[in-house]
Amino acid sequence: MVLHTGLESLVMATNNAHKLAEIRRIIGQKIKILSLDDIGCHDEIPETGDTLEENALIKARWVKEKYGYDCFADDTGLEVDALGGAPGVYSARYAGEHCTPADNVALILERMYGIAVRSARFRTVIALIIGNEEILVDGVVNGCITAEPSGMDGFGYDPVFKPEGSDITFAQMDADAKNAISHRGRATARLLSVLNERFI
């Protein structure tokens, strides 16, 4: 994919090292992805939306309005059918405001104990702002919650999420294998498609 020569970089509204590494790996050399730290933004950007779409837009608008950069932001949620779609938009803080990823995984497994139907999905929404235009894209991967954590790679709920058609969890996959089928990989592919279709 060849991007518009005038669009040399975009800010990703995050300082999450795992997210940045995944996005940069997926996009490769096509475009330079800057972090919030790279542009001197050390704000605690509020995530007060009730949906993934709202949170992604809140973060992207914050960067565009306060710092002036073309940017994109993502929000990702794990939606478990047996839990009524939870944790969803609260995935990062499911076990409390100052919880760790391990705390969230432990709570999911506790609440899923003894439940036979373990279907779930990961969904990523990306909000892109270039100039005055706002665009939303998303990516979804279906799967199930395992009975116990497996694997050391990935982050978040990856050790207990087994994607459809796979015998292993995201945390047992190498980065390239995960990115080829992941929610974030699919959303990023759509982001790249939009950049090529709209901004070349």
Side-chain angles (χ1 to χ4, degrees):
M1 294 181 179
V2 179
L3 291 171
H4 191 285
T5 54
L7 189 62
E8 297 178 353
S9 64
L10 277 173
V11 174
M12 183 180 187
T14 189
N15 277 321
N16 183 311
H18 294 294
K19 284 187 178 183
L20 282 164
E22 276 196 356
I23 290 288
R24 286 169 173 163
R25 189 178 183 93
I26 293 166
I27 290 180
Q29 302 302 310
K30 298 178 181 73
I31 192 167
K32 185 176 183 180
I33 303 301
L34 303 174
S35 69
L36 292 177
D37 190 57
D38 290 331
I39 65 169
C41 174
H42 305 290
D43 308 342
E44 283 291 331
I45 302 177
E47 295 184 40
T48 54
D50 294 323
T51 66
L52 300 178
E53 289 82 358
E54 288 175 4
N55 275 342
L57 281 167
I58 287 169
K59 290 184 282 188
R61 288 170 178 165
W62 185 282
V63 171
K64 183 66 176 177
E65 292 168 6
K66 294 184 180 293
Y67 294 87
Y69 288 90
D70 290 334
C71 62
F72 67 96
D74 84 306
D75 202 26
T76 294
L78 174 67
E79 300 169 349
V80 181
D81 291 329
L83 301 178
V89 72
Y90 304 107
S91 293
R93 53 192 186 279
Y94 189 46
E97 283 299 322
H98 304 291
C99 64
T100 66
D103 294 334
N104 288 329
V105 166
L107 184 57
I108 281 282
L109 292 180
E110 177 186 324
R111 292 185 174 172
M112 290 294 290
Y113 181 77
I115 295 176
V117 178
R118 306 179 72 85
S119 55
R121 69 203 52 79
F122 264 124
R123 191 162 71 92
T124 290
V125 174
I126 295 177
L128 170 69
I129 303 179
I130 293 183
N132 295 319
E133 189 166 4
E134 297 183 349
I135 300 164
L136 289 169
V137 296
D138 72 350
V140 179
V141 60
N142 293 308
C144 66
I145 303 300
T146 57
E148 58 185 26
S150 298
M152 300 298 293
D153 293 323
F155 62 100
Y157 296 95
D158 285 356
V160 293
F161 184 83
K162 184 167 66 175
E164 208 168 62
S166 175
D167 293 326
I168 59 176
T169 68
F170 271 160
Q172 292 173 291
M173 297 180 180
D174 65 38
D176 289 335
K178 177 188 172 184
N179 290 339
I181 63 169
S182 77
H183 46 297
R184 188 168 287 109
R186 291 171 178 176
T188 304
R190 288 177 178 151
L191 172 68
L192 280 172
S193 179
V194 166
L195 289 170
N196 280 282
E197 290 171 5
R198 303 278 192 97
F199 302 100
I200 58 173

